[in-house]
Amino acid sequence: MDLGLKDKVAIVTGSARGLGAATARRLAEEGVKVVINDINAEGVAATVAALKADGLAAHGAVADITRADAVARLVDETRATFGGVHILVNNAGFPRDTFLTKMSEDDWDLVMNVMLKGAFLVTKAVMPHLIEQRWGRVVNISSRAHFGNPGQANYSAAKAGLIGMAKALSHEEGRYGITVNCVAPGFIETEMVAALANYEKIRDRAIEAQPIKRVGRPNDIADAVTFLASERASFISGEVLHVSGGRFG
């Protein structure tokens, strides 16, 4: 199936590893020229090298997306390297889990700044170019946690905020041929998750709660994002695609 993505240009934030790296690879396999963005310079270089080794078009851009000046340079570098930008995947984020009564202001600010402020800044910087060309795709990586998880007030709030932002922007930008959607992963086995001290307990509990009895894989998310970025999804906007093995609440 031709997804109509050949020679499009995508920025994937937080893509040095994990879901972001898998998503960038999947897009690149469809002919997209991908920009690997992260603050981890070593990880960016390794991911770009792995993609190029397989004959895929990739460029690394180390940038802190919580800073407007760094974001402006990221978008300018993308356009200078590949001649434009068509797709944005707001993937960057991480948890700082603890119950609210023990949550520090830094725990709150770090999570909200990277996931929500970062997504706001990059989307705002990219949007004028999408509007000018009257075509664009924005996909926010939310989470099943938007329903609310104990010990994740900050993370759940940020992931819910990404959904609200997507729904608002789908109304604002649809007239320009731009769609804005979310993918909400459930339990996905990434390097970061597998390294958790209580990984096996978390994994077993998640599988028990899911109708589909296996762990999620990064490519499950990458495939969903690639579909939403494609021409095949041109009439879908403001939606949340749960990739969670059938688990919602």
Side-chain angles (χ1 to χ4, degrees):
M1 179 185 293
D2 182 7
L3 296 180
L5 288 173
K6 184 173 173 54
D7 293 328
K8 292 289 194 291
V9 178
I11 297 173
V12 184
T13 68
S15 52
R17 63 175 186 167
L19 299 184
T23 296
R25 173 171 287 276
R26 186 70 189 88
L27 287 167
E29 289 170 347
E30 288 294 330
V32 177
K33 300 170 184 177
V34 296
V35 172
I36 305 300
N37 161 252
D38 209 292
I39 60 171
N40 177 357
E42 184 177 337
V44 167
T47 299
V48 170
L51 292 173
K52 286 185 172 181
D54 290 335
L56 303 173
H59 174 77
V62 178
D64 179 355
I65 62 167
T66 67
R67 294 174 44 201
D69 60 338
V71 167
R73 289 194 297 271
L74 166 63
V75 175
D76 287 346
E77 184 176 343
T78 298
R79 298 182 73 233
T81 302
F82 287 136
V85 59
H86 307 91
I87 299 161
L88 169 62
V89 182
N90 286 311
N91 169 75
F94 50 82
R96 285 289 185 273
D97 296 351
T98 190
F99 288 106
L100 183 67
T101 53
K102 297 180 180 179
M103 187 176 291
S104 69
E105 192 171 341
D106 282 346
D107 290 333
W108 180 271
D109 288 344
L110 281 168
V111 169
M112 299 298 283
N113 282 346
V114 172
M115 280 196 279
L116 264 185
K117 183 182 178 182
F120 158 70
L121 289 175
V122 185
T123 305
K124 183 179 179 181
V126 165
M127 194 59 70
H129 305 294
L130 306 187
I131 290 172
E132 182 179 7
Q133 68 203 12
R134 305 190 75 82
W135 195 97
R137 301 286 186 265
V138 178
V139 183
N140 293 342
I141 304 302
S142 181
S143 168
R144 192 197 59 79
H146 77 85
F147 291 111
N149 279 341
Q152 288 193 315
N154 49 0
Y155 189 81
S156 294
K159 292 301 192 181
L162 287 172
I163 292 174
M165 185 173 77
K167 288 182 177 293
L169 293 180
S170 71
H171 288 284
E172 290 184 22
E173 315 302 347
R175 73 192 75 179
Y176 304 112
I178 299 165
T179 68
V180 188
N181 291 289
C182 290
V183 170
F187 180 80
I188 307 295
E189 188 178 58
T190 63
E191 293 176 11
M192 183 173 66
V193 170
L196 294 173
N198 56 344
Y199 164 71
E200 291 183 357
K201 181 179 179 180
I202 296 171
R203 178 199 61 197
D204 293 347
R205 187 171 59 208
I207 293 174
E208 177 63 27
Q210 296 168 188
I212 298 175
K213 301 300 183 183
R214 69 164 174 86
V215 296
R217 306 181 183 99
N219 279 344
D220 292 321
I221 306 306
D223 287 341
V225 174
T226 302
F227 166 68
L228 289 174
S230 76
E231 281 292 344
R232 300 287 177 167
S234 63
F235 203 53
I236 300 171
S237 197
E239 291 293 340
V240 183
L241 176 55
H242 290 85
V243 185
S244 59
R247 183 183 178 192
F248 294 93

